[in-house]
Amino acid sequence: MLRAHPLALAWLWAQVYSPAKPNAIKNAIYECGLESRGDAWVQFRSAYYLYAIIFLIFDVEAVFLLPFAVAFTGLGLAACVAMVVFVLLLIEGWPGPG
């Protein structure tokens, strides 16, 4: 029995039922429904990227703190000590001024 691959079926369906009809309106560049103005290549200071990466790092660390905060009353001493060590490592890694 011959079995068709799902991607091949999807490609065939797209070719038959939604053929490409390119025109100037469909190929126009827009963002949020508005026509774009100016150049899209703008240089930002590297400090902005550094702030974004630091935010992401500490945001992910907050995800690790949430389960501990939810189950705080049912945890033993070993879990509390482990979380204190974790928080101290976070404080040590916090970027200081300058």
Side-chain angles (χ1 to χ4, degrees):
M1 179 172 182
L2 182 63
R3 291 180 43 186
H5 195 274
L7 290 177
L9 289 175
W11 179 82
L12 182 63
W13 181 275
Q15 295 301 314
V16 172
Y17 291 105
S18 60
K21 298 174 191 159
N23 60 33
I25 294 174
K26 287 184 180 180
N27 293 336
I29 299 172
Y30 68 93
E31 184 171 345
C32 299
L34 302 173
E35 291 184 20
S36 60
R37 293 181 293 188
D39 191 14
W41 294 98
V42 179
Q43 288 187 346
F44 293 101
R45 290 182 26 181
S46 60
Y48 295 135
Y49 296 108
L50 182 63
Y51 292 138
I53 290 172
I54 290 172
F55 171 77
L56 287 175
I57 289 170
F58 286 99
D59 193 43
V60 169
E61 300 301 333
V63 170
F64 289 118
L65 289 173
L66 184 64
F68 176 78
V70 170
F72 180 72
T73 57
L75 296 176
L77 182 63
C80 290
V81 169
M83 190 50 63
V84 167
V85 170
F86 179 73
V87 170
L88 289 175
L89 287 172
L90 281 179
I91 292 171
E92 180 188 356
W94 186 264

